[in-house]
Amino acid sequence: EGTTIYIPVVFHIVLQNPNQVTDAQVQAQLDRLNTDYAGLNGDSTLIPAWFKPFFSKPNIQFKLAQRNANDETSDGIDRVTTSISSFTIDDNRLKYTSQGGADAWDHNRFFNVWITQLGNQYLGYSTFPNSSPAAEDGVAIQYTTLPGNPGVYGKGRTLTHETGHFFYLYHIWGDENGCAGTDFIDDTPNQGTWTSGCLRDTVHTDACSPVAPGIMYQNFMDYTDDACMVMFTLDQKTRMETTINMYRPTLLT
Ligand code: ARG
Ligand code: ZN
């Protein structure tokens, strides 16, 4: 299914005690991301027969940066001690060292991921291509979404989902309550709103996809529990590849 794309990633850990996220947890998060973007996740067995033909292996892989923005040796993990106890989703202080956060590394060369404490139980958020200043381009995730944490969002899938947005994927239901919204993807069924929890291996229909096979609640771009989101489709793979080539080509060099 094509050649593998490699993207350098830097994790900025911005916490009052940044050491509470260990290197091993960062590695586990990176492994989760790479497994999902290789389509090698073991729980893809949860994809029902009727959606299996659309399951893709995006062949996008992420590797910790080995040089930092100043071209010095690095492990790709940037720990910053902050006095700010939590950030909100539009709190750009997170992305500036001078304001208690961590500066992005050149977004043309690195995929920037901020791991922090987000308030109001936010899980994460991402910028779309060309949507934000270069210094703010990237993904932010709640530190408790890393693998090994308790709860239904503690398996590292938030970064899988947010990275989909970073590559210009929209939510599978098209971000409106109704059937007119679109995710600009042809092989995901029309879906009225988000799915939460975990429906498991049954047909689930809604007003926009009223007959079997129904909606694809197993998709990484829905809102189900980490244990229940298990796939990108072929067209989502194509859209991510196109996005990288059109908007983020320098990440590949
Ligand atoms: N609410 C966030 C967003 O819209 C993240 C949702 C992640 N879901 C999960 N099961 N980890 O981008
Ligand atoms: Zn989202």
Side-chain angles (χ1 to χ4, degrees):
E1 288 185 66
T3 44
T4 304
I5 288 169
Y6 289 95
I7 294 187
V9 56
V10 51
F11 290 94
H12 306 282
I13 304 170
V14 180
L15 288 168
Q16 290 182 317
N17 173 15
N19 292 316
Q20 75 191 96
V21 174
T22 65
D23 287 2
Q25 282 178 296
V26 172
Q27 189 60 52
Q29 176 65 83
L30 185 68
D31 291 347
R32 172 81 275 147
L33 189 66
N34 279 330
T35 300
D36 289 345
Y37 279 82
L40 294 175
N41 48 307
D43 53 10
S44 64
T45 50
L46 293 175
I47 304 168
W50 51 91
F51 287 143
K52 270 262 152 69
F54 305 105
F55 176 45
S56 74
K57 298 188 188 308
N59 285 336
I60 301 169
Q61 294 291 280
F62 304 83
K63 53 178 191 201
L64 289 169
Q66 293 178 357
R67 315 286 295 175
N68 68 15
N70 299 323
D71 208 27
E72 299 151 351
T73 303
S74 159
D75 62 3
I77 303 175
D78 172 34
R79 285 190 175 78
V80 172
T81 303
T82 185
S83 60
I84 298 171
S85 56
S86 81
F87 295 86
T88 62
I89 56 166
D90 45 18
D91 187 347
N92 280 315
R93 291 180 301 173
L94 175 63
K95 298 173 176 178
Y96 296 96
T97 306
S98 62
Q99 297 176 39
D103 285 341
W105 294 6
D106 179 3
H107 82 136
N108 290 314
R109 294 163 58 207
F110 304 98
F111 173 36
N112 285 271
V113 177
W114 287 268
I115 299 173
T116 191
Q117 169 107 49
L118 296 174
N120 299 328
Q121 306 197 321
Y122 287 122
L123 298 174
Y125 60 95
S126 177
T127 55
F128 282 132
N130 285 348
S131 67
S132 300
E136 297 166 12
D137 198 24
V139 163
I141 53 171
Q142 177 78 273
Y143 76 104
T144 55
T145 66
L146 267 55
N149 278 293
V152 298
Y153 303 121
K155 296 186 189 303
R157 245 72 191 250
T158 297
L159 185 57
T160 302
H161 174 106
E162 299 308 334
T163 301
H165 290 314
F166 184 75
F167 294 139
Y168 222 170
L169 295 188
Y170 287 86
H171 290 135
I172 191 169
W173 68 93
D175 287 310
E176 66 152 35
N177 292 307
C179 305
T182 179
D183 61 357
F184 305 101
I185 299 292
D186 289 335
D187 61 2
T188 52
N190 197 0
Q191 181 172 323
T193 189
W194 64 86
T195 317
S196 35
C198 196
L199 299 175
R200 294 289 183 198
D201 186 17
T202 54
V203 172
H204 189 79
T205 58
D206 75 358
C208 308
S209 286
V211 296
I215 60 170
M216 189 188 279
Y217 58 85
Q218 302 87 352
N219 197 279
F220 286 127
M221 301 314 290
D222 204 339
Y223 265 6
T224 51
D225 296 350
D226 280 14
C228 306
M229 44 169 59
V230 294
M231 68 181 288
F232 289 116
T233 66
L234 296 166
D235 286 349
Q236 286 176 322
K237 169 189 159 105
T238 301
R239 185 174 170 93
M240 290 195 279
E241 285 170 352
T242 303
T243 297
I244 292 168
N245 290 324
M246 279 183 64
Y247 297 105
R248 303 192 183 285
T250 55
L251 283 176
L252 304 178
T253 54

